[in-house]
DNA sequence: TCTTGACCTTCCAGTGACTGGAAGCATTAG
DNA sequence: CTAATGCTTCCAGTCACTGGAAGGTCAAGA
């Protein structure tokens, strides 16, 4: 497979695939004209990385997951720990977003047609104590 | 207030506060020695921005939210529209994050978490068919 | 008074994770 | 044969910071 086909099949742009090679995620062979040739294992790795990224894992976390993926002797508890930490972070974000949505919704309702200079809701939004 | 105190009270690093000034979020006065002097309104603005940023709004979105925050005529329909679009975006993000969390949680539950190498998390991430 | 250290200033460079573009070979379709 | 597409490398830019250098300011202590 050339890089274009791998990009199509993995959903990862060619630029990004080359970048992933740069940072050591893959090391595809080259043929005589210098083109990268990808094996199925490399395609699978890219799909793996793409999915991990879409789940919000950053590059270093992906590297750790890839190492575990490659390591035949790995224990699954290592993987589970990484995933659990990530779920905690996601849940914190969800909580924050719900709070922000509720605040903004109140803001929209309460500020509609209100031309007074001081809005208590805005004051509350930026109040340190409600942080 | 000097920048250090504002940083402490807003939770935003001094570097970032100066950056926010660069991009026009604030325009703190200076005293004779050149130090920035911050009013309470600027502190509140920073807390507001910090919260919006922590929820994934980018700088331009923050600028729009700040306009809502700053706008003495708020209640006008265009400002309200901006806020509503932001609420929609927040809801989309919440949905995405919940999907992410559910996927990960499901995988964690299915993962033994012991020293054995079989791990459903990695299996799922590397399974081409579930792409 | 001098000095030490914390705090402030500006400017420039680097980060992460790409992304875009230029310049130049290789391959393929018409 | 030519044009279009695809591949290569390299360099630069993006966003939102973040770190460091070099230097000015200020309050406290010997």
């Amino acid at each position: 497979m050339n890089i274009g086909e791998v990009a199509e099949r993995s959903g990862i742009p060619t630029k990004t695939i080359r970048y992933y090679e740069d940072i050591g995620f893959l090391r595809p062979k080259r043929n005589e004209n210098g083109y990268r040739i990808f094996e199925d294992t490399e395609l699978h790795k890219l799909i793996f990385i793409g999915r991990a990224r879409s789940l919000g894992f950053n590059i270093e976390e992906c590297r750790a997951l890839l190492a575990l993926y490659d390591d035949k002797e790995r224990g699954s508890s290592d993987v589970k720990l990484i995933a659990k930490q990530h779920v905690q972070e996601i849940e914190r974000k969800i909580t924050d977003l719900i709070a922000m949505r509720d605040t903004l919704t109140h803001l929209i309702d309460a500020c509609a047609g209100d031309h007074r200079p001081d809005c208590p809701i805005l004051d509350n939004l930026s109040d340190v104590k409600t942080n």
Side-chain angles (χ1 to χ4, degrees), chain A:
Chain A
M1 268 178 288
N2 282 350
I3 198 167
E5 189 182 344
V6 173
E8 167 129 20
R9 290 173 63 179
S10 66
I12 296 171
T14 58
K15 281 275 183 186
T16 307
I17 294 171
R18 293 195 194 98
Y19 169 71
Y20 285 164
E21 184 182 356
D22 278 355
I23 63 171
F25 275 1
L26 333 148
R27 220 155 295 138
K29 294 196 174 68
R30 305 293 182 115
N31 65 16
E32 286 150 23
N33 59 18
Y35 287 18
R36 289 165 182 83
I37 29 176
F38 294 86
E39 306 294 332
D40 274 356
T41 56
E42 264 125 9
L43 172 61
H44 293 161
K45 231 181 204 179
L46 280 170
I47 291 167
F48 178 95
I49 296 166
R51 224 171 270 172
R53 291 285 301 124
S54 83
L55 287 174
F57 291 100
N58 68 21
I59 290 294
E60 282 318 303
E61 286 166 338
C62 287
R63 208 186 289 281
L65 288 170
L66 261 187
L68 294 167
Y69 175 75
D70 282 340
D71 183 1
K72 302 302 178 205
E73 297 299 313
R74 74 189 142 66
S76 57
S77 58
D78 298 331
V79 182
K80 198 170 179 176
L81 181 63
I82 292 173
K84 267 189 176 171
Q85 287 168 351
H86 197 66
V87 165
Q88 282 185 347
E89 202 184 325
I90 289 172
E91 268 166 356
R92 190 188 51 70
K93 283 181 183 172
I94 290 171
T95 306
D96 288 355
L97 278 173
I98 286 170
M100 187 65 165
R101 181 197 58 189
D102 292 348
T103 306
L104 264 183
T105 302
H106 283 305
L107 189 112
I108 289 164
D109 292 346
C111 286
D114 186 344
H115 293 269
R116 287 175 300 143
D118 296 311
C119 173
I121 290 162
L122 284 172
D123 293 344
N124 182 270
L125 184 59
S126 60
D127 187 349
V128 182
K129 287 189 288 288
T130 63
N131 201 7

